[in-house]
Amino acid sequence: MAEGAKKPKVLIVDDTPENIQVLMGTLKDQYAIVAAINGKKALKMALADPQPEVILLDIMMPGMDGFEVCRRLKADAATRDIPVIFLSALDDTANKVKGFLWGQWTTSPSPFSRRGPCPVNTHLTMSRLKQNLAEKNKELQAYSEHLEERVKDRTAELASFEPDL
């Protein structure tokens, strides 16, 4: 990370403090880490300024589970575009499908899994590219409208001339 560059904010949501500590230790050099120990706190923290750029979300939590947290995040216009990565030791297809149906982008192993690292950077990149594309589309739309207005004006100008016979 470049000197003085702002670290992307990552929200870790897990009811097990040890899991949070492991993830923080792994990610702290590249990301600004905030953590919540339950779904209710996670929903509040997702709205904080600045918002997290990625949410790492445990599935199995007491009270509000990760699926419900994700459902609420995706239902709120202010948080629906934040990528969610489910953290779970559960490796069954039913849970993966349920997660995809709730709008999360991928699953990742729990911090203690041997399946490999959590793909935070991949999802940050995808999210930023999606935002950049949306901005470019808005710029293109505005330019297109400007060009259409110029064509309309020029057509009216040309129509106002009478041919000299």
Side-chain angles (χ1 to χ4, degrees):
M1 179 154 292
E3 183 80 22
K6 186 178 167 190
K7 291 181 179 181
K9 184 177 177 181
V10 175
L11 171 58
I12 300 170
V13 186
D14 199 313
D15 61 315
T16 307
E18 293 83 10
N19 290 354
I20 292 172
Q21 290 303 316
V22 169
L23 285 166
M24 286 179 117
T26 303
L27 302 172
K28 68 181 178 187
D29 292 338
Q30 293 178 290
Y31 307 102
I33 307 294
V34 293
I37 59 169
N38 62 49
K40 187 176 180 181
K41 288 183 182 179
L43 293 172
K44 286 182 183 176
M45 293 177 83
L47 292 168
D49 189 29
Q51 286 185 292
E53 293 187 46
V54 172
I55 298 173
L56 304 179
L57 181 59
D58 185 23
I59 293 175
M60 298 187 331
M61 296 186 294
M64 190 184 313
D65 69 12
F67 293 125
E68 179 61 17
V69 173
C70 186
R71 186 193 68 75
R72 290 184 187 193
L73 288 167
K74 298 306 175 184
D76 187 333
T79 57
R80 77 172 40 121
D81 291 328
I82 301 172
V84 174
I85 300 170
F86 279 136
L87 300 173
S88 178
L90 301 175
D91 200 21
D92 62 87
T93 303
N95 276 308
K96 288 181 181 179
V97 170
K98 187 174 182 180
F100 291 127
L101 291 174
W102 285 121
Q104 118 295 346
W105 290 18
T106 191
T107 58
S108 183
S110 73
F112 304 107
S113 172
R114 293 188 189 118
R115 284 187 12 214
C118 184
V120 174
N121 197 46
T122 299
H123 291 283
L124 278 172
T125 301
M126 287 184 349
S127 179
R128 287 177 178 163
L129 288 171
K130 182 179 173 184
Q131 290 171 353
N132 190 10
L133 182 60
E135 290 169 13
K136 295 297 180 190
N137 280 337
K138 283 181 186 177
E139 289 175 16
L140 251 150
Q141 182 64 36
Y143 189 66
S144 175
E145 290 170 5
H146 169 74
L147 288 176
E148 286 178 19
E149 191 62 34
R150 286 186 63 193
V151 167
K152 183 176 146 186
D153 291 346
R154 184 68 175 140
T155 302
E157 181 183 328
L158 290 172
S160 70
F161 293 120
E162 293 186 359
D164 292 333
L165 296 176

